[in-house]
Amino acid sequence: MVNSEPLLPINSVEIQNGDLKEPPMPFSSDDLDGSSGNLISQFIHLLFVFLAWTFDAQLSFVNIFSDADPAWHCTSGDSSGASSCFSASTPCGLPPESWAWDFPAHASMISEWALECASPTVVGLPASAFFAGSLAGGILLATLSDSALGRKNMLLLSCLTMSLTGILTALAPDVWTYSALRFLCGFGRSTVCTTALILLSETVSGRWRDKVSIVGFLFFTLGFLSLPAIAYVNLASSWRTLYLWTSVPCACYSVLLCFFINESPRWLSVQGANKIDADASKSRSNFSTIKIIWDRKWASQRLIASMIAGFGIGMVYTGMPLNAGNLGTDIYLSTALNAVAEVPSALAALVIVGVTDRRLSVLGFTAACGALNIACVFLETKAWQMAAEVASFFSVCTAFDVLLIYCVEMFPTCVRGSAISLIRLAIVLGGAIAPMLVAVGRRLSFVSFGVFGVVIVFCGMATVCLPETKGRSIRDTMEEEEEGGDCRK
């Protein structure tokens, strides 16, 4: 007999009307007594939820390499333009005979479609379209995991859409079609991380909730960290192969997802309770959960403050990896360092959520991130700039991780999916703006680093008005949350 608390909770979600006859995940401490089958089932469930983070990271940041500003060099083909070529910072306007790309033109979408003279808006359009799609998906899909689809089906739909549009992206004939497909990919993946986080939080016992959430963040880091390796292996290949390398495995994963993960027992319990009252069930719309939040002052205040903080964190979290190339350092090295920085940030978050207040942690790391971003503007040595940039990314990653755990604990099960999706929406909105600032920052570094620093400091200050959740259990209904005594009415 194992006396320790089970990884997955004891579930008793059989509803009196018989709609849910069988508990979805009937694991208790008794089940862990030498029952390898149950242990394996639990492990497979968690592993498949974790993997959603990995594919989301790959398809979110693949444009770092597919849309990279390609290196070029002067040639001796045109002696009259040689002097102007060697003094030029970009090949735009130079005679075609006086310069050439370092790698084949198909290595980057910029060189393949001759966008070296295009405006920053056009060059940054695919990346911005991706995050704009995430923004639209966050609005339209935000409440489906709380209502019609549930956690499992929402995750399945998101991963499948993300992977199929990623495969189609490899066939894009021009930058406009490419941008449209990136928009659809962003739309599909808009709820991947939030749904996976909620599914993890609701299918493990309280003792393990923080730990498995951090492991999920590490799997996101694994996906991010794999990109430089994939891109380096395909260094002289077409940028389209990067999308196939990341999208095809995700499509296969989406199919297996149907069979190897279970629905959230908390969601099933809440849904089953709602089904007892048939009239209430009929009157419930997909967006009723947002109304429930908005009708309660304490809930709407929490949501608005969390979204403000998420906006600043999202802008810097997305912008820093894209902006690393503006430091003039090797893009593979800088991206790898940023990806590696996510590992200690996740471990730091694991320690922090166990010993320190969530509110103070988010406030402190956003302030540190802002200061380091501003330092990048004034530092002149590339090595020091890279060190400050990596430290800044470490800070924003830690703030990101803690904020998501914080928000999961602040909202009850009946509205948690909608609330976290809306907060994620604010994060994505910040991310959608970041590529434009990065494109301008290729010429004026203070526009990107400076704006990032100021925005995240001021947005992070919004957490001052949030309640502390350290040490408390997550709740299922609004009434339970109000009875907890920490709601501002």
Side-chain angles (χ1 to χ4, degrees):
M1 181 74 168
V2 177
N3 296 321
S4 60
E5 186 177 4
L7 182 62
L8 299 177
I10 302 172
N11 300 306
S12 56
V13 297
E14 293 179 333
I15 306 305
Q16 293 179 1
N17 64 359
D19 287 344
L20 298 176
K21 297 181 179 179
E22 184 178 345
M25 299 172 66
F27 302 135
S28 67
S29 56
D30 291 336
D31 294 320
L32 297 178
D33 184 18
S35 179
S36 60
N38 283 334
L39 286 172
I40 293 173
S41 297
Q42 294 178 64
F43 176 79
I44 291 175
H45 168 83
L46 294 176
L47 176 62
F48 269 80
V49 179
F50 289 147
L51 285 174
W53 294 74
T54 300
F55 293 115
D56 181 61
Q58 290 181 338
L59 285 165
S60 294
F61 292 108
V62 65
N63 58 292
I64 294 176
F65 298 101
S66 63
D67 304 0
D69 195 10
W72 61 281
H73 61 275
C74 296
T75 64
S76 57
D78 182 11
S79 58
S80 62
S83 59
S84 60
C85 177
F86 286 107
S87 62
S89 58
T90 69
C92 180
L94 295 176
E97 301 82 7
S98 65
W99 66 278
W101 300 114
D102 287 0
F103 293 101
H106 61 239
S108 169
M109 71 96 179
I110 294 178
S111 52
E112 178 173 328
W113 291 325
L115 300 177
E116 62 271 10
C117 294
S119 68
T121 302
V122 174
V123 175
L125 183 61
S128 291
F130 175 82
F131 290 104
S134 296
L135 186 65
I139 295 173
L140 298 176
L141 306 178
T143 63
L144 291 180
S145 68
D146 280 335
S147 54
L149 293 181
R151 316 319 194 196
K152 175 181 177 179
N153 290 332
M154 187 74 257
L155 186 62
L156 171 61
L157 177 64
S158 297
C159 290
L160 190 60
T161 304
M162 178 174 68
S163 60
L164 294 180
T165 52
I167 293 172
L168 291 175
T169 300
L171 306 175
D174 52 54
V175 68
W176 312 111
T177 306
Y178 176 41
S179 299
L181 288 168
R182 288 299 285 164
F183 177 89
L184 294 175
C185 185
F187 184 91
R189 58 78 59 183
S190 58
T191 61
V192 171
C193 283
T194 53
T195 305
L197 177 63
I198 293 169
L199 187 56
L200 287 172
S201 300
E202 294 178 352
T203 53
V204 297
S205 56
R207 175 169 167 259
W208 290 93
R209 189 172 62 244
D210 295 343
K211 297 179 178 63
V212 298
S213 298
I214 296 300
V215 173
F217 301 151
L218 287 172
F219 269 75
F220 187 89
T221 302
L222 177 63
F224 189 12
L225 190 59
S226 67
L227 279 175
I230 295 173
Y232 189 79
V233 169
N234 295 277
L235 189 59
S237 301
S238 172
W239 59 270
R240 301 170 189 272
T241 61
L242 297 178
Y243 280 96
L244 294 177
W245 274 69
T246 53
S247 300
V248 172
C250 184
C252 298
Y253 160 79
S254 300
V255 175
L256 295 175
L257 199 64
C258 302
F259 307 101
F260 292 107
I261 71 167
N262 300 281
E263 184 54 271
S264 161
R266 284 183 177 271
W267 181 81
L268 288 172
S269 180
V270 170
Q271 289 297 109
N274 288 334
K275 288 179 181 178
I276 295 175
D277 187 347
D279 294 333
S281 179
K282 290 179 181 178
S283 63
R284 188 179 182 187
S285 68
N286 288 339
F287 291 93
S288 62
T289 50
I290 295 179
K291 186 177 184 299
I292 292 172
I293 296 173
W294 198 254
D295 286 344
R296 286 169 167 81
K297 184 178 179 181
W298 61 266
S300 59
Q301 286 178 340
R302 291 183 187 183
L303 181 62
I304 292 171
S306 300
M307 289 178 71
I308 292 173
F311 175 83
I313 290 173
M315 177 183 288
V316 179
Y317 180 80
T318 303
M320 291 304 288
L322 298 175
N323 206 31
N326 291 344
L327 296 175
T329 54
D330 182 79
I331 188 173
Y332 297 96
L333 175 61
S334 59
T335 303
L337 289 176
N338 280 324
V340 170
E342 290 213 42
V343 177
S345 75
L347 297 177
L350 178 61
V351 175
I352 288 166
V353 296
V355 300
T356 309
D357 292 349
R358 278 80 161 121
R359 179 174 52 198
L360 181 62
S361 300
V362 174
L363 186 62
F365 278 102
T366 52
C369 177
L372 289 164
N373 265 279
I374 294 172
C376 287
V377 178
F378 299 101
L379 292 172
E380 297 181 357
T381 306
K382 288 185 178 181
W384 282 109
Q385 282 183 323
M386 178 176 284
E389 189 272 335
V390 173
S392 174
F393 191 66
F394 166 85
S395 298
V396 74
C397 287
T398 308
F400 192 124
D401 295 348
V402 176
L403 178 68
L404 288 180
I405 294 174
Y406 191 13
C407 292
V408 166
E409 296 172 343
M410 273 195 292
F411 295 94
T413 301
C414 61
V415 298
R416 185 173 297 121
S418 301
I420 302 302
S421 293
L422 289 172
I423 294 165
R424 178 74 176 179
L425 183 66
I427 294 172
V428 170
L429 178 59
I433 297 172
M436 299 296 184
L437 293 173
V438 170
V440 177
R442 289 172 181 170
R443 299 177 177 87
L444 302 169
S445 62
F446 69 86
V447 173
S448 51
F449 286 112
V451 172
F452 288 163
V454 173
V455 168
I456 195 170
V457 169
F458 280 97
C459 289
M461 293 174 65
T463 58
V464 171
C465 64
L466 294 175
E468 183 52 53
T469 61
K470 181 178 181 294
R472 49 162 276 189
S473 60
I474 59 175
R475 290 149 185 167
D476 290 330
T477 66
M478 303 297 278
E479 291 73 22
E480 287 179 15
E481 188 69 30
E482 290 170 346
E483 290 171 2
D486 55 359
C487 296
R488 301 180 181 181
K489 300 180 181 178

